[in-house]
Amino acid sequence: MYRRRAEEEVRQINADLERRVAERTAELAERAKELARSNAELQQFAYVASHDLQEPLRMVASFTQLLAKRYKDKLDDDAREFINYAVDGATRMQTLISDLLTYARVGTQGKPLAPTDSEALFNRVLDGLKFVIEESGAVISRDALPVVMADPQQLGQLFQNLLTNAIKFRGKEPPRVKISVERNGSDWKISVRDNGIGISQEHADRIFVIFQRLHTKTEYPGTGIGLAICKKIVERHGGHIWVEPSPGGGSTFCFTIPVASMQKVEERKQDELRIPVAAR
């Protein structure tokens, strides 16, 4: 009798568990549908922002500048100042929309992760920042960078944003930036250390939130989206990002990225060997 009762209780528990699993599965499926709809709406917004919003801004800036050029002899100082404000506002809005597009597209238009030579990629980023580096007198040193599983375009954007920040938020001394690499188990930890103005630890999490700025636009230009983009890129790659104070001043931005398996690297090499030379 006790055995039959216990078996009945077990059956009832299993039935309840199966019902809860089914309800939870249905709930997750509905959330997945909502996420798919949200992503579709986000892509639609990206299209609208890239054309329908930017085109009027280009017209405002262009015609305002044309107005200033054509009637420059008839304008007083106040009028010229007002025109400069209008052009500056339109230009900043275009930059803001462009950064928002980059942020929105990290998850929706990213390329598949593949074995990526981050050292060669980093060198290309340095070439693109050559003028900024020379102008600021920045000295950049680094460890050898590994092959990682990454979207090359997004990883390049990550390097560029972190280097640009290190140069922009500099102190009185010329920027010195050091990129260090160490392996922690199945992850690479990459650190970007600078000798700049530093970041208080109380703001360490806030700086990765979109539109969160610690300084005014007159002190340091920007939209407040760059580090939010970095965070989204790192998370898409299966890592995480944080900031630490640097010994002697400045900041150290650290992020992790999974180690590329040798199997994936070999598969990529074989794929490249199979591509005809004329198609490369």
Side-chain angles (χ1 to χ4, degrees), residues 62-77:
S62 297
F63 280 100
T64 305
Q65 289 173 322
L66 182 61
L67 182 68
K69 183 178 180 180
R70 181 169 296 180
Y71 299 102
K72 62 180 180 180
D73 295 332
K74 299 179 181 180
L75 298 175
D76 59 17
D77 291 340

Side-chain angles (χ1 to χ4, degrees), residues 268-280:
R268 179 63 176 266
K269 288 180 179 178
Q270 292 301 319
D271 288 341
E272 291 175 349
L273 289 174
R274 285 193 287 268
I275 299 174
V277 174
R280 294 184 184 177

